[in-house]
Amino acid sequence: MGIVNVTPDSFSDGGLFCDPRQAVAHGRRLIAEGADLIDVGGESTRPGAEPESPTVEAERVLPVIEALSRDVRVSVDTTKAEVANLAVDAGATLINDVSASLHQVAASRGVGWVAMHMQGEPRTMQDRPTYDDVVIEVRNFLTDKAEAARGAGVGEVWIDPGIGFGKTAAHNWALLNGLADLVATGWPLVVGTSRKAFLGALFADADGVPAAVEDRLEGSVTTAVMAAADGASMVRVHDVGATVAALEAAGAGRSNERFSQHIREMDQWQ
Ligand code: PMM
């Protein structure tokens, strides 16, 4: 899943692809680099971000979805029913929902749904995230949401632990170490680590200054490969070319059942 953020303020690429033409061109580059699906978002979910109006969000994403969905499968990254519905009209066939609240829209429109876990809301989620056992709590939340969606008639349901959403670096690493528990639920798993702050913290300099967003490539690619090796069926990434190459190398090196399974699952959703 390649990321196209049509926002002035997303944490890693905010402002770069605000003009729909630039966003479409970027999406096409990601397709050429090997993305199977493009995730288009019009509202930043970075920590501290304020919500956007549905009108502004829709204006940003709709032309981009309309253009890219002619070439590839497109998901819309939104928490608003109104935007999700308009995005489906424009050609999106998957609702990527970081609020895990829109399964009714997916059911009524006959499209897929990604349920992501978040503690709190973007404005305040990093204030003081707390869990007794982050893996168990996230797993239970996601299976409840997935079962509710399936019960409501959503045919294609994905779960996502929401790396960085109301989580400390320790929580993120615990989740990445516990992906097997999420895979064991049987729901297909999406994981998004790309360029996130916990990777910046890992590569902080001697004064504790985190690595800049553009210096998080190795951490992003490595954690994407680890997630796939642990059974994630999809990884959400900015750097598609590097990630695809790394996944291919890892798959060739291992040539094991997990990677073959991964490829089969991707084929099934296309
Ligand atoms: N992360 C971001 C936005 N949307 N959706 C899913 N399903 N999973 C994620 O981890 C996720 C997401 C934040 O990253 P961005 O601002 O670079 O898009």
Side-chain angles (χ1 to χ4, degrees):
M1 175 189 262
I3 303 168
V4 174
N5 283 321
V6 200
T7 56
D9 59 344
S10 278
F11 77 94
S12 82
D13 53 3
L16 288 182
F17 312 117
C18 242
D19 172 350
R21 281 167 308 184
Q22 279 174 323
V24 171
H26 183 60
R28 295 211 169 110
R29 263 196 305 277
L30 299 186
I31 297 166
E33 288 177 14
D36 295 305
L37 183 146
I38 299 289
D39 188 41
V40 180
E43 177 181 70
S44 172
T45 49
R46 79 185 149 72
E50 295 288 339
E52 205 57 79
S53 85
T55 318
V56 168
E57 195 182 322
E59 271 170 13
R60 288 177 182 165
V61 297
L62 295 182
V64 181
I65 292 171
E66 220 165 77
L68 291 178
S69 61
R70 291 188 209 120
D71 298 333
V72 76
R73 189 171 188 204
V74 171
S75 58
V76 60
D77 187 344
T78 189
T79 59
K80 299 186 186 76
E82 190 181 334
V83 176
N85 266 307
L86 291 167
V88 173
D89 292 340
T93 59
L94 182 65
I95 300 173
N96 175 27
D97 176 10
V98 305
S99 67
S101 65
L102 298 180
H103 75 256
Q104 300 289 3
V105 181
S108 71
R109 301 303 304 272
V111 296
W113 182 60
V114 178
M116 197 200 79
H117 176 274
M118 164 162 53
Q119 188 178 81
E121 48 167 12
R123 210 165 44 80
T124 52
M125 67 189 176
Q126 291 307 105
D127 285 355
R128 194 184 301 219
T130 42
Y131 300 85
D132 289 328
D133 184 320
V134 68
V135 177
I136 291 174
E137 284 171 51
V138 167
R139 183 197 63 196
N140 291 347
F141 172 91
L142 291 174
T143 48
D144 284 354
K145 294 287 180 185
E147 280 160 19
R150 179 58 50 82
V154 184
E156 178 189 351
V157 179
W158 298 78
I159 60 170
D160 182 332
I163 298 296
F165 284 82
K167 281 136 195 141
T168 63
H171 294 141
N172 293 327
W173 290 116
L175 282 165
L176 287 177
N177 275 303
L179 291 182
D181 281 3
L182 299 181
V183 172
T185 64
W187 298 101
L189 177 68
V190 190
V191 177
T193 57
S194 190
R195 300 183 183 174
K196 286 188 176 169
F198 77 117
L199 297 172
L202 183 67
F203 298 109
D205 69 14
D207 299 324
V209 178
V213 160
E214 57 276 15
D215 295 328
R216 299 177 190 171
L217 175 66
E218 295 84 349
S220 301
V221 170
T222 304
T223 48
V225 171
M226 285 167 51
D230 286 347
S233 299
M234 179 144 68
V235 283
R236 182 180 179 280
V237 305
H238 300 88
D239 300 289
V240 170
T243 308
V244 167
L247 284 169
E248 276 171 10
R254 287 275 191 82
S255 60
N256 67 11
E257 180 51 26
R258 270 202 188 125
F259 276 92
S260 315
Q261 175 71 20
H262 169 67
I263 305 286
R264 279 199 297 276
E265 282 173 7
M266 282 312 300
D267 285 346
Q268 176 189 337
W269 298 118
Q270 274 168 38

